[in-house]
Amino acid sequence: MADARVRPLIELAKWRTREFLRQPEAMFWVFAFPILLAFALGIAFQNRGAQTVHVVVEQGLNADALVETLIAAGGIEASVLAADEAQNALRTGRVPLVVVPGETLVFRYDSTREESLLARLVTNDALQRAEGRSDVRAVRNLGTSEPGARYIDFLIPGLLGLNIMGTGMWGVGFSIVRTRTQKLLKRFVATPMRKSHFLLGYMLSRLVFLVAEVAALVAFGHFVFGVPVRGSILALSVVSLLGALAFAGIGVLVASRAQTIEGVSGMMNLVMVPMWVLSGVFFSAAAFPDAMQPVIQALPLTALNDALRAVLLDGASLFALTGWLAILALWCVGSFGVALKIFRWS
Amino acid sequence: MSTPAVNCKGLVKRYGDVVAVDGLDLEIRVGECFGLLGPNGAGKTTTVEILQGLLPPDAGSVEVLGMRWENQERSLRERMGTQLQDTQLPDKLSVVEVLTLFRSFYRAGRPVEDVIDMVQLREKRDVWVKNLSGGQRQRLSVACSLVSDPEILFLDEPTTGLDPQSRHQLWRIIGDFRAGGGTILLTTHHMEEAERLCDRVAVIDHGKVIAQGSPRALIESLGAEHVVQFALANGDSIDHATLGSLPGVERVSAVDGRTQLTVMHVHEAVPALMTLLQQRRAELSELTTHHATLEDVFISLTGRHLRDG
């Protein structure tokens, strides 16, 4: 009877699901935390309309006239400060640039600060134009703040990938080791339970929560910050599923020999922390040197994040995702294969 | 003769340099309750784990219900029940949920609700494991082994750490299983438990069987029914030959600074002992007498108490 054969699997998955649902702190980390993080970062990096540059003019001859000129140019906030105060403001980073009036204007700024360089260019441009300089080449400015190109649009898929990694690794790896330290694993092995059912039960219950956690974060990004969902739900589901399976596999692998909770926690962090940094969660993985790129691109979280961004932001079809999906599938099969070989059942 | 429930020969298990089981033979008959009695570290747990196919032995052969672990593991697991030491059942599952989970692993077995009644957890049916008392948890642990309606039950120190009432409740469950025709192998370092429950016991020390038989026969092998134990003030002692010549004294041994006499009749031995002590002007600091128990068997075999390990 097919029903009787899958019953242990269903019961094991029910066990995992119940343990998770009955643990409020786990629910917090899986559902609330990523949304809070997305909210905080979304607010912090919100686009505040057109950017303005703050400039200070040192007290002196014609200082007030300079301020007026700068303000009239647009996009610049300027004020007059006494010499020592102006110097102080520059030194502590409160203003990026100080203009010292005189026959020859002096720009004081920190040449290693991007903001200062920008302020110098804008200020210089405004003052030269006011004195009659004109452009020799016609340009047209088209500013953009379209959904899909903002930081929050970059961030939400990254957080989604991060969450799938975290819940997969912790949810599977951590609780397998707990089962082992509680001698429950040994007790299960003393029954006719199939070992494959034990591991599959973990996967199955993971999938239940996967649907909920992906839906929650994507919906939050979409309705609160207008993050686009341009690809199909099918493509999003396939990417999330394969990502979750890859990290569940890595979770099983990390847990396969560990005898203590401390041991597995250390291993988890060893595996996950490099990917937080390297895999393009908070900033693009392209920021790292070319020599590192082959390694970075082969990491499961990089593949997952890139695929998620392609689906959500670019509306990529499943076909266009083949490369990333292949990387995730390889991680899944490879880690499971090795884990099953070395798994410690007692 | 019918196939024994458990038959193992020449069992050896080493952990590095430590020999946990050292050439152990056991034969357990179908339908009996068999006890492995010994101090902590004697090799009891290692032995039962080998018998249950949870640890591979370094040498020796194991047959359970006429089957071998190497080629019939699954059918064997279907027919046995087990309770291990220190298993923590899932904290946040209820009694019925835990039993349903364990029941699902077996092709055939008892209905979960029946097992709940058997172990008297009816009122706790929907209570989480973490809210059960120690005794209730232990009953649940045994219940997990009963859902398969097993032919043989392995119980490793089932009552260790339980209060007397919980211990008696478990004894009743074990007794019921035995009365239903089941075979039981249990380990314990609690001699009253062994005397009460077991048809036969094997006394184990340093990984070997040092005595085997029914509790009655083992106690009778002491040659006398009572034990008189005494100690003298100032650490004085009396030579064993003199004590051995007192009326009815079968055996003299020294344990933990006390002297122990195994005697036929207390009313003969004690007055004679008193007279002797008076003659020697020795002052008594302690004197107790009791019916001989398996503990005394162990002491007379090893010179140590069961609990000392």
Side-chain angles (χ1 to χ4, degrees), chain A residues 145-208:
Chain A
S145 64
E146 244 180 282
R150 305 158 307 164
Y151 181 63
I152 188 74
D153 303 310
F154 179 85
L155 186 66
I156 289 284
L159 287 179
L160 192 55
L162 192 68
N163 204 36
I164 290 174
M165 172 171 84
T167 51
M169 300 266 301
W170 288 113
V172 173
F174 196 77
S175 53
I176 284 181
V177 175
R178 234 186 37 180
T179 311
R180 188 181 287 132
T181 60
Q182 292 176 336
K183 306 266 175 81
L184 186 58
L185 184 58
K186 196 178 200 171
R187 181 68 186 79
F188 282 152
V189 171
T191 73
M193 178 195 75
R194 286 180 191 281
K195 290 170 179 171
S196 56
H197 281 169
F198 177 77
L199 296 178
L200 283 171
Y202 275 89
M203 310 290 277
L204 212 61
S205 81
R206 268 293 296 135
L207 299 186
V208 175

Side-chain angles (χ1 to χ4, degrees), chain B residues 2 18 39 53 82 112 117 173 177 186 199 206 218 225 244 254 263 265 271:
Chain B
S2 65
V18 181
T82 185
V112 164
D117 289 329
I173 294 165
F177 178 78
L186 74 87
D199 300 300
H206 299 305
L218 285 175
E225 297 241 317
V263 305
H265 304 292

Side-chain angles (χ1 to χ4, degrees), chain A residues 19 22 182 186-187 192, chain B residues 49 74 82 88 92 97:
Chain A
E19 286 236 334
R22 291 169 188 180
Q182 292 176 336
K186 196 178 200 171
R187 181 68 186 79
Chain B
E49 289 195 350
R74 271 190 70 80
T82 185
Q88 279 172 266
K92 294 185 175 178
E97 286 165 351

Side-chain angles (χ1 to χ4, degrees), chain A residues 4-5 7-16 18-19 21-25 178-179 181-195 197-198 345-346, chain B residues 49 52-55 73-74 77-94 97 100-107 128 141-142 144-146:
Chain A
R5 225 172 299 153
R7 250 200 70 207
L9 178 58
I10 292 167
E11 287 298 329
L12 282 162
K14 269 159 80 179
W15 161 50
R16 292 314 317 155
R18 282 177 175 138
E19 286 236 334
L21 285 174
R22 291 169 188 180
Q23 220 165 351
E25 61 273 29
R178 234 186 37 180
T179 311
T181 60
Q182 292 176 336
K183 306 266 175 81
L184 186 58
L185 184 58
K186 196 178 200 171
R187 181 68 186 79
F188 282 152
V189 171
T191 73
M193 178 195 75
R194 286 180 191 281
K195 290 170 179 171
H197 281 169
F198 177 77
W345 284 101
S346 61
Chain B
E49 289 195 350
Q52 294 180 83
L54 295 173
L55 270 181
E73 177 169 351
R74 271 190 70 80
R77 297 219 176 280
E78 291 279 353
R79 291 166 62 187
M80 64 171 240
T82 185
Q83 172 267 321
L84 304 173
Q85 251 188 88
D86 312 322
T87 300
Q88 279 172 266
L89 293 168
D91 255 5
K92 294 185 175 178
L93 288 195
S94 68
E97 286 165 351
T100 305
L101 175 62
F102 275 92
R103 176 64 188 86
S104 75
F105 300 148
Y106 298 90
R107 264 186 245 131
W128 287 3
S141 180
V142 172
C144 290
S145 67
L146 293 174

Side-chain angles (χ1 to χ4, degrees), chain B residues 16 26 38 44 64 77 80 94 113 118 143 163 165 168 173 180 182 202 206 222 259 273:
Chain B
L26 280 180
K44 300 186 305 275
V64 179
R77 297 219 176 280
M80 64 171 240
S94 68
E113 299 295 337
M118 287 168 70
D163 58 85
Q165 195 199 344
H168 280 91
I173 294 165
H206 299 305
L222 289 170
T259 305
L273 176 64

Side-chain angles (χ1 to χ4, degrees), chain A residues 223-237:
Chain A
F223 293 112
V224 176
F225 288 112
V227 174
V229 183
R230 297 195 173 115
S232 67
I233 296 297
L234 174 71
L236 178 63
S237 307

